[in-house]
Amino acid sequence: AQSVAQPEDQVNVAEGNPLTVKCTYSVSGNPYLFWYVQYPNRGLQFLLKYITGDNLVKGSYGFEAEFNKSQTSFHLKKPSALVSDSALYFCAVRPPGDNFNKFYFGSGTKLNVKP
Amino acid sequence: DTGVSQDPRHKITKRGQNVTFRCDPISEHNRLYWYRQTLGQGPEFLTYFQNEAQLEKSRLLSDRFSAERPKGSFSTLEIQRTEQGDSAMYLCASSPRVDTQYFGPGTRLTVL
């Protein structure tokens, strides 16, 4: 069964400090991996994706993520957090060979950036 | 704005009533998805259209739920005889290929 785990319900960081939001997945083969951000009462906004190639991918708003195949992880990172980064973050996986492009989402991690 | 749009943004209804939501995808996207998101959870897949064909439905999509995408453009999701457990955010997404999905703002349903 396909699954995505975000082990932390909440992450607290001070503004200016680096942040990491963790994601691990359980999918056989080489999946597509995505990060989305959700602000209150809004839909999901695409941040970045890993399809193939360089394990470090860069996305919107200064975010980046590192794909680690051996650890089946795709952690989201940012070198210097902003208060405006406070939101709900979701990791998603699309299993390989899924012609329907069905995404499986984690349960989300609430990021709190304090001034 | 050329993003995915959904209407209405909020819907409050009484138990037993029928409701219908609309999604307008990004115009060149032939793939359209419906998800349901409950509080504290990530979105859960409901159904998928490629053009006008509904190609996959989740077991979450009970017989009270039906979705259509006439002419391969906008889509509607109807819930008949709503129950309190149907209260959730209903999200629509579209994609041009087997890749990134772009989400609309969602329709928040409250069943009293």
Side-chain angles (χ1 to χ4, degrees):
Chain A
Q2 331 293 354
S3 68
V4 180
Q6 293 182 241
E8 303 154 316
D9 290 338
Q10 186 166 298
V11 169
N12 298 312
V13 298
E15 187 174 32
N17 283 0
L19 70 88
T20 299
V21 182
K22 296 179 180 177
C23 172
T24 60
Y25 63 90
S26 175
V27 172
S28 56
N30 298 315
Y32 293 4
L33 297 160
F34 301 82
W35 276 100
Y36 286 84
V37 60
Q38 186 176 36
Y39 296 97
N41 297 315
R42 301 291 297 277
L44 279 69
Q45 296 179 28
F46 169 71
L47 277 180
L48 51 79
K49 65 183 177 185
Y50 173 82
I51 303 297
T52 187
D54 193 349
N55 288 344
L56 184 66
V57 294
K58 296 186 182 297
S60 306
Y61 312 119
F63 283 94
E64 58 189 27
E66 186 168 13
F67 171 61
N68 187 318
K69 186 173 183 178
S70 63
Q71 297 185 4
T72 62
S73 67
F74 189 56
H75 301 330
L76 182 71
K77 300 181 180 183
K78 187 174 182 181
S80 178
L82 299 173
V83 172
S84 57
D85 293 330
S86 299
L88 194 54
Y89 290 81
F90 289 97
C91 180
V93 60
R94 197 222 85 174
D98 183 342
N99 292 326
F100 297 151
N101 202 35
K102 185 165 57 180
F103 281 20
Y104 295 88
F105 284 86
S107 55
T109 298
K110 185 177 180 183
L111 175 65
N112 295 314
V113 182
K114 299 186 177 180
Chain B
D1 189 338
T2 57
V4 178
S5 61
Q6 293 186 244
D7 185 71
R9 294 290 304 276
H10 304 273
K11 179 70 177 179
I12 300 174
T13 191
K14 294 182 179 179
R15 183 163 52 98
Q17 297 295 304
N18 299 344
V19 294
T20 301
F21 310 140
R22 177 181 170 121
C23 171
D24 286 273
I26 296 171
S27 59
E28 62 268 26
H29 291 185
N30 64 340
R31 297 166 185 258
L32 186 146
Y33 313 80
W34 285 99
Y35 290 83
R36 182 171 68 186
Q37 184 182 19
T38 52
L39 199 61
Q41 297 298 318
E44 293 179 292
F45 171 81
L46 291 178
T47 190
Y48 160 68
F49 288 86
Q50 185 166 334
N51 300 310
E52 67 277 7
Q54 187 176 21
L55 297 184
E56 189 170 2
K57 295 192 294 185
S58 164
R59 62 177 174 78
L60 294 174
L61 213 64
S62 75
D63 291 344
R64 296 184 298 105
F65 288 70
S66 63
E68 295 181 341
R69 192 184 182 196
K71 303 179 183 178
S73 54
F74 71 92
S75 176
T76 58
L77 177 68
E78 181 183 16
I79 309 175
Q80 296 181 327
R81 305 181 303 281
T82 52
E83 303 173 355
Q84 289 185 326
D86 297 331
S87 295
M89 175 80 88
Y90 290 84
L91 295 167
C92 176
S94 69
S95 69
R97 55 189 174 277
V98 182
D99 201 323
T100 308
Q101 293 181 20
Y102 296 91
F103 283 79
T107 294
R108 181 168 295 283
L109 173 65
T110 302
V111 182
L112 302 176

